[in-house]
Amino acid sequence: MTPARDTSSPVVLLRHAPLSRFLVARIGSITAQQMLMLAISWHMYDMTSSAWDLGLVGLCQFVPGLATTLIAGHCADRLHRGRMVAACLALQAVAATLLSISTATHSVTRDALLALSLVLGAIRPFQMAGQQALLPMLVPPKLLARSMALSTVVQQISIIAGPALGGILFAVSVVTVYLTSAALFCISAVMYAFVRYDFTPPPREPVTADSILAGLRFIWSNPLLLGAISLDLFAVLFGGATALLPVYARQVLHVGPQGLGLLRSAPAVGALCVGVFLSRRSIVSRVGKKLLIAVAVYGVSIVAFGLSQWFSVSLLLLAISGGADTISVIVRQTLIQLETPDRMRGRVAAVNTLFIGASNQLGEFESGVTATGLGVIGSVVLGGFATVLVSVAWSRLFKPLATRDALH
């Protein structure tokens, strides 16, 4: 028998003070991050006109995470998660301020942008591990799927607002973009620091390789979680086109930084629509099959975007890709949280963060490399086809995921 759908209003969730504070802080921090990354990518391309350098920005954000992600997970299971996230946001505010000063004094260089990308890449695993492990502590398990969808809605609103606002502020100056993002980081840091939940410091124990690697072992021993997390890694690794959007904006679609802001925001528009729907009506049956179909739709939309020569059509296709990706994100993240005990959530979230980082930042580097050899259109089209093939392959390789019916 198919479980009854929970159709109660998301407004009920927003009345829960800790969750509301978490969501508002999440809006500010993600908006700031989107503005900062838009500014860095356009700033880099404006200085060098090189797709290779755009790829290097992604690589520089990914590599430090390899060294810090597992440690970040251990910290998320030992420390107050809200304060841990607040500290990460404060450090990013410092980085944005340094960028504004160096830009205003005309001392910013290609190497400086890459160096600060390394710093941001080292900080972000701590923030993501803390955020992912924090949300399940704020709501009861039966509301987690809808809370996850609501969190995704908030995230997509920020992803829409961040690049759009960044594009507008770019008309003033890139310094204005950097300073605004620094201010938003500071506000969000204060709010995260005051998120309240039942926190009891765990007993002290030595930090060992065994404790740090516990999350990786837990995922490796669970085929469902391994399949879900690795699906995102390979699908977005091949199908991500974000790093090449500045090239599309200038050379293919012939729009400026404002057009780039809209292109960066378009996937979030589709994600927002799907997230609002899923915050009202959760996916309750055949979740594994729907997850794999969503990934395939994402790949097809990326192929079509790669071939499009029209700005409006490109925006629509990116919106479709964002909607499909949101289904994947909500299903995967909810499965991960429900299948993981709280004492392990930080370390499992850290491994998930590593996979997300690989799919995004390393995917940006892959896009830059393939664009250098195949051209920007060839790179995007080939990546989209590869994503579809990944979806088909995972339906055969990870049967527990493909045949999973309910989230719980």
Side-chain angles (χ1 to χ4, degrees):
M1 180 180 295
T2 301
R5 292 183 181 274
D6 182 0
T7 58
S8 57
S9 172
V11 174
V12 175
L13 294 173
L14 293 175
R15 293 174 182 167
H16 190 55
L19 178 61
S20 297
R21 191 174 292 115
F22 172 87
L23 294 175
V24 173
R26 190 162 164 76
I27 288 177
S29 62
I30 297 175
T31 299
Q33 286 170 341
Q34 291 296 311
M35 291 175 61
L36 182 60
M37 296 319 302
L38 174 73
I40 289 176
S41 63
W42 186 266
H43 203 166
M44 175 65 82
Y45 191 65
D46 194 49
M47 282 196 302
T48 68
S49 299
S50 170
W52 171 262
D53 285 336
L54 284 176
L56 283 180
V57 170
L59 182 65
C60 286
Q61 291 180 55
F62 170 71
V63 170
L66 293 175
T68 61
T69 295
L70 296 181
I71 298 173
H74 184 85
C75 292
D77 283 335
R78 307 291 301 171
L79 306 175
H80 188 286
R81 292 162 183 169
R83 294 168 191 161
M84 176 176 160
V85 175
C88 295
L89 296 178
L91 290 174
Q92 290 175 77
V94 172
T97 302
L98 291 175
L99 276 170
S100 68
I101 294 173
S102 61
T103 302
T105 58
H106 305 288
S107 59
V108 66
T109 64
R110 168 184 177 275
D111 291 341
L113 290 178
L114 294 177
L116 278 173
S117 294
L118 285 170
V119 173
L120 293 173
I123 295 171
R124 196 153 298 156
F126 291 88
Q127 176 187 342
M128 294 182 69
Q131 284 176 339
Q132 289 183 39
L134 177 59
L135 180 56
M137 305 302 298
L138 306 180
V139 295
K142 67 178 182 179
L143 296 179
L144 181 58
R146 290 175 54 240
S147 298
M148 198 73 67
L150 193 57
S151 178
T152 300
V153 169
V154 164
Q155 175 179 334
Q156 300 312 323
I157 290 174
S158 304
I159 292 174
I160 294 169
L165 180 59
I168 293 171
L169 293 178
F170 233 110
V172 180
S173 70
V174 67
V175 174
T176 304
V177 182
Y178 289 139
L179 286 176
T180 303
S181 64
L184 288 174
F185 277 130
C186 290
I187 295 170
S188 299
V190 172
M191 297 194 70
Y192 265 114
F194 288 97
V195 170
R196 296 286 183 257
Y197 69 97
D198 292 333
F199 172 70
T200 302
R204 290 186 175 273
E205 60 178 351
V207 179
T208 64
D210 185 69
S211 65
I212 290 176
L213 296 175
L216 188 60
R217 288 198 309 273
F218 180 81
I219 292 173
W220 188 260
S221 65
N222 189 320
L224 187 143
L225 292 187
L226 179 62
I229 294 176
S230 61
L231 175 66
D232 178 72
L233 167 64
F234 289 102
V236 182
L237 173 65
F238 296 126
T242 303
L244 298 178
L245 288 182
V247 185
Y248 264 87
R250 175 176 290 183
Q251 297 183 3
V252 179
L253 301 172
H254 307 292
V255 293
Q258 290 75 23
L260 173 62
L262 291 175
L263 289 172
R264 290 288 295 265
S265 299
V269 174
L272 176 61
C273 294
V274 172
V276 168
F277 178 79
L278 292 181
S279 69
R280 176 76 180 179
R281 296 175 64 89
S282 301
I283 297 175
V284 295
S285 63
R286 296 185 294 173
V287 295
K289 182 178 180 180
K290 291 173 183 176
L291 169 62
L292 293 167
I293 291 174
V295 171
V297 170
Y298 173 83
V300 171
S301 65
I302 292 299
V303 171
F305 167 77
L307 297 173
S308 172
Q309 301 290 314
W310 299 278
F311 183 58
S312 58
V313 174
S314 297
L315 290 176
L316 175 61
L317 291 168
L318 287 174
I320 292 172
S321 75
D325 186 53
T326 295
I327 296 174
S328 170
V329 168
I330 292 173
V331 171
R332 285 188 297 100
Q333 296 288 3
T334 305
L335 283 173
I336 290 169
Q337 300 295 354
L338 292 175
E339 294 286 321
T340 306
D342 181 64
R343 62 182 176 80
M344 292 286 298
R345 279 196 176 115
R347 282 166 285 185
V348 169
V351 178
N352 188 39
T353 296
L354 182 62
F355 278 71
I356 292 173
S359 63
N360 292 325
Q361 276 75 50
L362 192 57
E364 290 182 7
F365 178 68
E366 179 270 339
S367 296
V369 172
T370 55
T372 302
L374 300 176
V376 62
I377 294 176
S379 172
V380 173
V381 170
L382 179 63
F385 274 121
T387 298
V388 176
L389 293 177
V390 166
S391 176
V392 174
W394 259 237
S395 69
R396 304 289 190 271
L397 294 173
F398 295 95
K399 289 296 184 181
L401 176 64
T403 59
R404 179 67 175 248
D405 184 40
L407 285 171
H408 294 279

